[in-house]
Amino acid sequence: MSSFLRRALRHRSFVVGAALTAFVLGMALLSLVWTPYSPTAINIRRRMAMPSADYWLGTDSFGRDVLSLILAGAQNSLTVGVLAVGGGLVLGSALGLLAAARRGWIEELVMRFADFTFAFPAILSAIMLAAIFGPSTMNSIVAIAIFNIPVFARVVRGSANAIWARDYILAARSAGKGSFRITIEHVLPNILAVIVVQATIQFALAILAEAALSYLGLGTQPPTPSWGRMLNEAQAMVFRAPFLAVFPGFAIAISVLGLNLLGDGLRDLTDPRLSRQR
């Protein structure tokens, strides 16, 4: 563990990504206990106020404090990301492990299901769900999770197939272990690093998807703060008050950049071939 930590601290992408991700996570945690003003408090007399000592990032067209909205929006984005990626990870990994363990027609069925699901990206799925059930945060989570299932299924199945070809798997079979036990004791622990790296990358994509859905009015609904909806509301004021679009856009960029750099760093650190080069 100490060796991994030393290599991690020397890896620039990992350090920068971890710092940016920790910053966004800190904003979300801070919003649970404190924000300068209530994110939903409207003050028409102070609408469109420029950044100042009273309102550090200014106010929007409804007089709401932009900093409070940014902090609370981080909580919403991370919540959607965790639930959506978590759901896709659990279901997709289970299908991928099943396909690698059983092979044959089961593997073919899982892979064709993944191909079919890829035909419905998160935004298209959200449009269909919104048309049936109405736009909401939960529909965004479900749509993004559905998109993540085939991603994890493919990654896990490919990595698990490589493990199933190893000699120690043959030894485990010779010892009388069944497919389920081999999957839990030998396959899953050896591909866990791959799953974590993929989850980090998908987390960044989930934040982008949530922002896009909220921007289109299909995701998080008022009065819950959302970075995507802040961008939607700011587009009509972009020439009068450009800061209204800059701050939520910067928050999205920082989150996605941090998670992508963190994912790249974890990939390098967990790849034995790259680890030997460092």
Side-chain angles (χ1 to χ4, degrees):
M1 184 65 180
S2 59
S3 174
F4 176 85
L5 184 59
R6 285 196 298 270
R7 289 190 292 111
L9 292 177
R10 292 198 301 266
H11 196 289
R12 293 180 181 177
S13 293
F14 179 85
V15 172
V16 174
L20 293 177
T21 303
F23 176 72
V24 176
L25 180 60
M27 289 197 304
L29 294 176
L30 179 63
S31 70
L32 292 174
V33 296
W34 176 85
T35 53
Y37 300 90
S38 171
T40 59
I42 295 176
N43 186 354
I44 298 299
R45 291 180 298 177
R46 299 301 303 271
R47 63 189 298 271
M48 306 296 292
M50 296 296 292
S52 63
D54 293 330
Y55 299 97
W56 293 356
L57 300 184
T59 62
D60 65 4
S61 57
F62 296 99
R64 297 173 299 185
D65 179 51
V66 173
L67 177 58
S68 300
L69 291 171
I70 293 290
L71 293 175
Q75 180 188 151
N76 178 72
S77 294
L78 292 182
T79 300
V80 172
V82 168
L83 295 178
V85 175
L89 186 154
V90 171
L91 295 176
S93 297
L95 289 174
L97 290 171
L98 176 64
R102 304 298 296 179
R103 306 302 289 270
W105 68 269
I106 293 181
E107 182 180 28
E108 188 69 18
L109 182 63
V110 170
M111 290 302 99
R112 298 297 73 77
F113 167 76
D115 292 339
F116 175 79
T117 308
F118 268 130
F120 298 93
I123 293 180
L124 181 58
S125 299
I127 292 174
M128 292 189 297
L129 290 173
I132 299 173
F133 303 106
S136 68
T137 303
M138 182 54 63
N139 288 341
S140 297
I141 293 173
V142 172
I144 298 171
I146 290 174
F147 177 77
N148 279 317
I149 291 175
V151 174
F152 283 103
R154 283 181 171 276
V155 170
V156 170
R157 175 249 188 182
S159 301
N161 278 340
I163 300 298
W164 276 98
R166 301 291 178 86
D167 291 339
Y168 59 82
I169 298 296
L170 179 60
R173 285 185 179 276
S174 302
K177 293 183 179 181
S179 297
F180 179 78
R181 187 175 175 185
I182 292 175
T183 297
I184 298 300
E185 294 182 1
H186 300 287
V187 178
L188 184 57
N190 282 286
I191 66 172
L192 198 57
V194 176
I195 296 176
V196 171
V197 171
Q198 189 64 40
T200 305
I201 296 172
Q202 294 304 122
F203 204 145
L205 296 177
I207 290 178
L208 273 178
E210 189 281 329
L213 292 172
S214 296
Y215 178 84
L216 295 173
L218 301 173
T220 303
Q221 298 298 298
T224 305
S226 169
W227 292 340
R229 200 175 65 254
M230 289 178 68
L231 287 175
N232 177 277
E233 294 170 352
Q235 66 180 352
M237 308 287 181
V238 68
F239 294 108
R240 179 180 175 187
F243 65 88
L244 293 178
V246 169
F247 294 130
F250 184 73
I252 295 172
I254 286 294
S255 303
V256 174
L257 177 63
L259 287 165
N260 279 327
L261 290 176
L262 182 62
D264 288 342
L266 287 173
R267 181 200 59 201
D268 294 347
L269 293 169
T270 54
D271 190 324
R273 294 168 298 180
L274 295 176
S275 297
R276 287 194 293 268
Q277 297 173 5
R278 293 184 175 274

